[in-house]
Amino acid sequence: MTDAATALDRFYSVIPAGGIGSRLWPLSRADAPKFLHDLSGSGRSLLRDTWERLAPLSGEQRIMVVTGRAHRAAVEEQLPELTDSNIVLESDPRDSTAAIGLAAAILEHREPGVIIGSFAADHVIANGHAFRETVRRAVLAADAGYIATIGIAPTEPAVGFGYIKTAGTLDIPGAHGARRVEEFVEKPDLATAKRYLRSNKHLWNAGMFIARADRLLEQLGKSEPELLAGLQELAAAWDTPSRGVVVDRVWPRLKKIAIDYSVAEPAAKDGALAVIPGEFEWDDVGDFASIAKLHSSGRGSELAILGKNARVLADASSGIVVSQSKRVISLIGVTDIVVVDTPDALLVTTSENAQRVKSVVDALRAGGSGDVL
Amino acid sequence: MTDAATALDRFYSVIPAGGIGSRLWPLSRADAPKFLHDLSGSGRSLLRDTWERLAPLSGEQRIMVVTGRAHRAAVEEQLPELTDSNIVLESDPRDSTAAIGLAAAILEHREPGVIIGSFAADHVIANGHAFRETVRRAVLAADAGYIATIGIAPTEPAVGFGYIKTAGTLDIPGAHGARRVEEFVEKPDLATAKRYLRSNKHLWNAGMFIARADRLLEQLGKSEPELLAGLQELAAAWDTPSRGVVVDRVWPRLKKIAIDYSVAEPAAKDGALAVIPGEFEWDDVGDFASIAKLHSSGRGSELAILGKNARVLADASSGIVVSQSKRVISLIGVTDIVVVDTPDALLVTTSENAQRVKSVVDALRAGGSGDVL
């Protein structure tokens, strides 16, 4: 364990930029995934916002992005500061353990003792300062040997997020508020979510993990030794001429598993997982209801309009309109509506049904309409 | 008064094909008005359906269409049988008295004693046989000197139609069921409409007028002598080389007034208006709620889909989708919805709000979005 300054000097931000965001179809697509859109109204893509939030913490030279080969050009356009050594391109998506684990293995190989923090490219955080302060505490927990996560203090009984059940407080120097994680719990129903809110023991799982890279890989090795071996083989070859050959051979065989299952839950069971409560506003903008809420300050009577040059005429209507075509969009007397208008696909639903968009995407795929996905 | 065969021999159908149908925006447009669309699902435009409904009654050679110059090509495409002498082109729309009155004056000039029947180009009638039987009775009432109209026996307390209040029965040979019209009443509220339905005295005003042309013009002359003079001047010049000069001088000055006000209501006051109850299914398809109803056999749980090559994926949704673009349209959990998707404009509303579409059209016009009207 070292002091705060030293630990932060060894900190590296990792941004896995994957995932289409099926619940945001037809805005999010295979060729225009969620992280490339401005969903917060900041005028910047979620990816760019993530970068700017992390740069003051780790420095621009210490941010690694893991993304699909298909998105390379778009990512580099968003992040012109990104160097070739800090972009990891996946030939095909193999879930979050492979993405984050490979970044950890490469960085540990380059710089033993590095501390990494993994932050999704497509979440919205309102207060960057409070976010960074929370991460700094998590870095100290990581430096103390914990696998650390950040849990968001719930402000409502949300049913769209997973939760972290906390146990007793941990006394880690500099990591104020740290608690031991008892377990992760899946998205609850409303009654359960209300109980969680009252319990003061449950935090929203924001999917952020901060750990020494060697510690993370060690934890992974306990549950997924083969996957770890593959990642280490890749890492050893990464900065050598044989990268391409090894990637082609090893990457396609890596097990697809979320890091929540391969690392976080086992670590919680081992008592090795610490959570730092985050007091900042956070949203994973998982569906259109969530975007509508972000843009209307929570007032249900408003109509949020997303899209440059949107031509929307609304009468007695509320909800959200996303305009990606040049069409005039007229709404009359529709409340809590979700209208997403793109050149080749139109979605009309309600906030209440926003979570069901994914099933429509599945149906379109099954029905031979993959051209609009 | 003559016998039925002779009266029908002198019968001429007039189809005023005007009116954009603002409540059906963005499907109906200035350049694609309601009568050019297939709203009944017959596979033919409403205008073509109207023609085919009337042809067995008056013969194809005795149907006159009054329409705007801008619609000439579209009308002739729909009605290749239409001869040049049977199309009357308006340089600008001057309401129904000018349109129907000019047809009456031209036909009376050509063929004194002609009986004309005027039928909108954009209504839906389910049973052509029953319709024609009713018109035949109206022709006999017209031959007896009445201005006759057809009133539809109401099947529900509709608030979207005007009503005809009937008085005592009229004993006109061959015009079974004829009654005197006491007055015309505007679209009622629901309570009033329910009272009308119970009264058995009220019929829906379907805007059909059948009269001897000379009788119609005489009635018009009582309330609008200047307008009549203008129409007669036009009629006298119509089949001569001076038509163009006279039209340019006279037509733009004709008073704009609906035939309901210039002829029908005054005739009712004079006791000269007879109504024949029509027992056929009729709808003026005035808004999208009405179209939805036509296509779902009255079952509110269905989703009606209009549009060739529509690609609609709906889950737990009802109402109507009109697809005029090639886009995939996906609906999730929206009930009684109205979605009209065209290349340059999109409308999302509900059946309940369908009547309010006109106000949006007005707002678009006022707001400088006339390009999509």
Side-chain angles (χ1 to χ4, degrees):
Chain A
M1 199 170 82
T2 54
D3 66 28
T6 317
L8 266 171
D9 286 346
R10 287 184 289 119
F11 180 65
Y12 225 101
S13 297
V14 174
I15 306 176
I20 291 168
S22 292
R23 287 187 193 84
L24 295 178
W25 179 87
L27 180 64
S28 285
R29 307 287 188 101
D31 61 354
K34 185 183 159 196
F35 61 82
L36 292 177
H37 293 279
D38 168 20
L39 301 183
S40 69
S42 70
R44 294 177 299 273
S45 69
L46 294 178
L47 174 62
R48 183 71 211 175
D49 275 343
T50 304
W51 174 277
E52 297 196 355
R53 193 158 51 237
L54 291 167
L57 200 61
S58 54
E60 285 176 355
Q61 278 69 47
R62 296 174 68 85
I63 305 180
M64 178 172 269
V65 176
V66 187
T67 193
R69 281 186 187 164
H71 303 311
R72 176 180 197 154
V75 165
E76 289 180 340
E77 195 192 327
Q78 292 293 311
L79 311 176
E81 306 92 334
L82 189 64
T83 59
D84 278 355
S85 65
N86 277 348
I87 184 164
V88 173
L89 297 172
E90 304 170 309
S91 47
D92 69 315
R94 302 210 74 76
D95 219 321
S96 56
T97 304
I100 299 166
L102 178 57
I106 292 170
L107 291 171
E108 173 68 17
H109 200 263
R110 289 180 185 165
E111 183 182 324
V114 68
I115 294 171
I116 68 157
S118 163
F119 307 95
D122 55 7
H123 293 178
V124 166
I125 288 171
N127 184 339
H129 184 79
F131 163 75
R132 285 184 290 273
E133 190 46 45
T134 311
V135 176
R136 280 187 195 99
R137 286 190 254 157
V139 169
L140 291 176
D143 192 43
Y146 286 95
I147 291 177
T149 186
I150 290 173
I152 312 297
T155 52
E156 55 173 342
V159 296
F161 305 141
Y163 284 71
I164 297 169
K165 185 178 181 189
T166 65
T169 55
L170 289 171
D171 184 23
I172 307 171
H176 177 74
R179 292 193 243 173
R180 195 177 300 277
V181 172
E182 187 174 315
E183 60 172 342
F184 289 87
V185 283
E186 302 283 338
K187 296 177 185 179
D189 60 24
L190 186 61
T192 308
K194 286 181 176 173
R195 193 156 49 73
Y196 288 172
L197 188 61
R198 285 193 303 269
S199 77
N200 282 325
K201 280 190 175 176
H202 291 81
L203 302 168
W204 289 337
N205 178 11
M208 303 172 188
F209 296 103
I210 300 97
R212 286 176 56 122
D214 56 3
R215 186 64 199 81
L216 185 100
L217 296 168
E218 176 200 15
Q219 185 72 49
L220 173 62
K222 291 187 194 173
S223 60
E224 299 290 345
E226 272 186 51
L227 180 48
L228 174 66
L231 293 173
Q232 282 173 328
E233 190 176 355
L234 283 163
W238 199 258
D239 294 327
T240 75
S242 59
R243 182 204 291 187
V245 179
V246 177
V247 164
D248 288 350
R249 177 169 49 81
V250 176
W251 182 262
R253 295 183 195 164
L254 294 182
K255 181 174 177 179
K256 288 186 179 183
I257 182 171
I259 197 162
D260 305 68
Y261 304 130
S262 65
V263 173
E265 291 190 358
K269 274 187 189 134
D270 293 352
L273 198 75
V275 59
I276 315 292
E279 300 285 342
F280 48 85
E281 278 178 51
W282 164 89
D283 202 304
D284 71 352
V285 276
D287 61 31
F288 288 111
S290 148
I291 299 179
K293 222 168 91 185
L294 272 177
H295 285 260
S296 65
S297 322
R299 291 186 290 272
S301 60
E302 286 183 18
L303 183 71
I305 298 172
L306 266 77
K308 287 178 193 164
N309 311 317
R311 291 175 77 188
V312 177
L313 183 76
D315 180 14
S317 297
S318 63
I320 183 168
V321 176
V322 182
S323 168
Q324 290 220 315
S325 76
K326 288 175 181 168
R327 242 182 294 250
V328 164
I329 301 176
S330 174
L331 308 182
I332 309 172
V334 281
T335 50
D336 285 323
I337 199 83
V338 173
V339 175
V340 184
D341 185 47
T342 76
D344 62 354
L346 167 69
L347 170 72
V348 180
T349 185
T350 64
S351 293
E352 207 180 316
N353 289 283
Q355 286 274 328
R356 293 167 63 191
V357 172
K358 194 173 182 302
S359 68
V360 165
V361 168
D362 295 341
L364 284 167
R365 186 175 292 114
S369 287
D371 57 311
V372 297
L373 298 181
Chain B
M1 200 171 81
T2 53
D3 65 29
T6 317
L8 267 169
D9 285 348
R10 287 182 290 119
F11 179 66
Y12 226 101
S13 298
V14 174
I15 306 176
I20 292 167
S22 292
R23 287 189 192 82
L24 295 178
W25 179 88
L27 179 65
S28 285
R29 306 286 187 103
D31 62 353
K34 184 183 159 196
F35 61 81
L36 292 176
H37 294 279
D38 169 19
L39 301 183
S40 69
S42 70
R44 294 175 300 269
S45 69
L46 294 178
L47 174 62
R48 183 72 211 176
D49 275 342
T50 304
W51 174 279
E52 296 196 356
R53 192 156 53 234
L54 290 167
L57 200 60
S58 54
E60 285 176 356
Q61 278 69 48
R62 294 174 69 85
I63 305 179
M64 178 173 269
V65 176
V66 187
T67 193
R69 281 187 188 162
H71 304 311
R72 177 181 196 151
V75 166
E76 289 180 343
E77 195 192 327
Q78 291 293 311
L79 310 175
E81 306 92 334
L82 189 64
T83 60
D84 278 354
S85 64
N86 276 349
I87 184 164
V88 173
L89 297 172
E90 304 169 308
S91 45
D92 68 315
R94 303 210 74 74
D95 219 322
S96 56
T97 304
I100 299 165
L102 178 57
I106 292 170
L107 291 171
E108 173 66 17
H109 199 264
R110 288 179 185 165
E111 183 180 325
V114 69
I115 294 170
I116 68 157
S118 164
F119 308 94
D122 55 8
H123 292 179
V124 166
I125 288 171
N127 184 339
H129 184 77
F131 164 75
R132 285 185 290 273
E133 189 47 45
T134 311
V135 176
R136 279 187 195 101
R137 286 189 255 157
V139 169
L140 292 177
D143 193 43
Y146 287 94
I147 292 177
T149 187
I150 290 171
I152 311 297
T155 51
E156 55 172 342
V159 296
F161 305 141
Y163 284 72
I164 297 169
K165 185 178 181 190
T166 65
T169 55
L170 288 170
D171 184 22
I172 306 171
H176 177 73
R179 290 193 244 171
R180 196 178 300 276
V181 173
E182 187 176 314
E183 60 172 344
F184 289 87
V185 284
E186 302 283 336
K187 294 176 186 179
D189 59 24
L190 186 61
T192 309
K194 285 182 175 171
R195 193 157 49 75
Y196 288 172
L197 188 61
R198 286 193 302 269
S199 77
N200 281 327
K201 281 189 175 178
H202 291 81
L203 302 168
W204 290 337
N205 178 9
M208 304 172 186
F209 296 104
I210 300 96
R212 285 177 58 122
D214 56 3
R215 186 63 199 83
L216 185 100
L217 296 168
E218 177 199 15
Q219 185 73 47
L220 173 62
K222 290 186 195 174
S223 61
E224 299 291 345
E226 271 185 53
L227 180 47
L228 174 65
L231 294 173
Q232 282 174 329
E233 193 176 351
L234 283 163
W238 199 258
D239 293 327
T240 75
S242 60
R243 181 204 292 186
V245 179
V246 178
V247 164
D248 288 350
R249 178 168 49 79
V250 175
W251 182 262
R253 295 182 195 162
L254 294 182
K255 182 175 176 179
K256 288 185 179 183
I257 182 171
I259 198 161
D260 304 69
Y261 304 130
S262 65
V263 172
E265 291 190 357
K269 274 187 189 133
D270 293 351
L273 198 75
V275 60
I276 314 292
E279 301 285 341
F280 49 86
E281 276 178 54
W282 163 89
D283 201 304
D284 72 351
V285 275
D287 61 30
F288 287 111
S290 148
I291 300 179
K293 223 169 89 185
L294 273 176
H295 286 258
S296 64
S297 323
R299 291 186 290 271
S301 61
E302 288 185 15
L303 183 71
I305 298 172
L306 266 77
K308 285 178 194 163
N309 311 316
R311 290 175 78 187
V312 177
L313 184 76
D315 180 15
S317 298
S318 64
I320 182 168
V321 176
V322 182
S323 168
Q324 289 220 315
S325 76
K326 288 174 180 168
R327 291 190 302 175
V328 164
I329 300 176
S330 174
L331 307 183
I332 309 172
V334 282
T335 50
D336 284 322
I337 199 80
V338 173
V339 175
V340 185
D341 185 45
T342 76
D344 63 354
L346 168 68
L347 170 72
V348 180
T349 185
T350 64
S351 293
E352 208 180 317
N353 288 282
Q355 285 275 326
R356 293 168 64 191
V357 172
K358 195 175 182 301
S359 68
V360 165
V361 168
D362 295 341
L364 284 167
R365 187 175 291 114
S369 287
D371 57 309
V372 297
L373 297 181

